[in-house]
Amino acid sequence: MASKKSKGSTKLDKRTSLIKKGDTVMVIAGGNGTTRANKGKTGKVLKFMGANRVIVEGLNMMTKHQRAQGPDKPAGKIQREASLHVSNVMFYVEKLKRPVRLKSKILADGKKVRGYLNPESKAFEEIPAVVKS
């Protein structure tokens, strides 16, 4: 008997392994209704939600109606970022002023690096690793 795949699969998407926290991304698709307020905007990845969703700084803003939690936390409307699907964002290169598809390459010394193919020269451009402090 063949096994069924569950709808809420938590299997990691290939794109999530290439886009990292702190990367600058551009929204390339998505939006609700006729207004696509986020498409074409760029921002920094703040965090990943589960396997396939990402929160981007300053994009996809939502209003949360907060109840009063006591005298130190009054009620009010709070603006915060909602998540986007990782397939709707693409790595943005400031030097080229456009989004690019990420690739990984294994160097001669055996080190695996992220990068992209430069559209003009067709050469592999390495993305410098972000130093965590």
Side-chain angles (χ1 to χ4, degrees), residues 46-113:
L46 296 177
K47 69 177 186 175
F48 280 87
M49 303 285 292
N52 295 325
R53 299 199 69 85
V54 65
I55 292 184
V56 181
E57 182 179 30
L59 295 181
N60 204 24
M61 298 302 286
M62 64 176 271
T63 304
K64 181 177 177 172
H65 295 268
Q66 184 68 44
R67 211 173 183 183
Q69 299 292 317
D72 56 333
K73 290 188 178 179
K77 294 180 184 178
I78 298 171
Q79 290 274 58
R80 65 183 190 127
E81 293 95 353
S83 66
L84 293 162
H85 196 271
V86 73
S87 66
N88 293 337
V89 297
M90 216 170 166
F91 187 81
Y92 183 76
V93 179
E94 190 66 40
K95 185 170 70 173
L96 299 173
K97 303 280 191 238
R98 63 178 282 187
V100 293
R101 181 168 290 152
L102 291 178
K103 301 198 176 288
S104 60
K105 186 176 185 180
I106 298 173
L107 299 177
D109 60 352
K111 187 176 177 186
K112 186 175 179 182
V113 294

Side-chain angles (χ1 to χ4, degrees), residues 9-56:
S9 177
T10 58
K11 185 177 179 184
L12 275 175
D13 197 348
K14 184 180 179 190
R15 288 177 290 261
T16 59
S17 63
L18 294 178
I19 294 176
K20 307 276 187 209
K21 180 180 171 183
D23 285 347
T24 303
V25 293
M26 177 182 268
V27 178
I28 59 167
N32 53 356
T34 57
T35 62
R36 294 184 175 218
N38 294 323
K39 189 174 178 184
K41 292 186 180 176
T42 60
K44 190 179 280 192
V45 175
L46 296 177
K47 69 177 186 175
F48 280 87
M49 303 285 292
N52 295 325
R53 299 199 69 85
V54 65
I55 292 184
V56 181

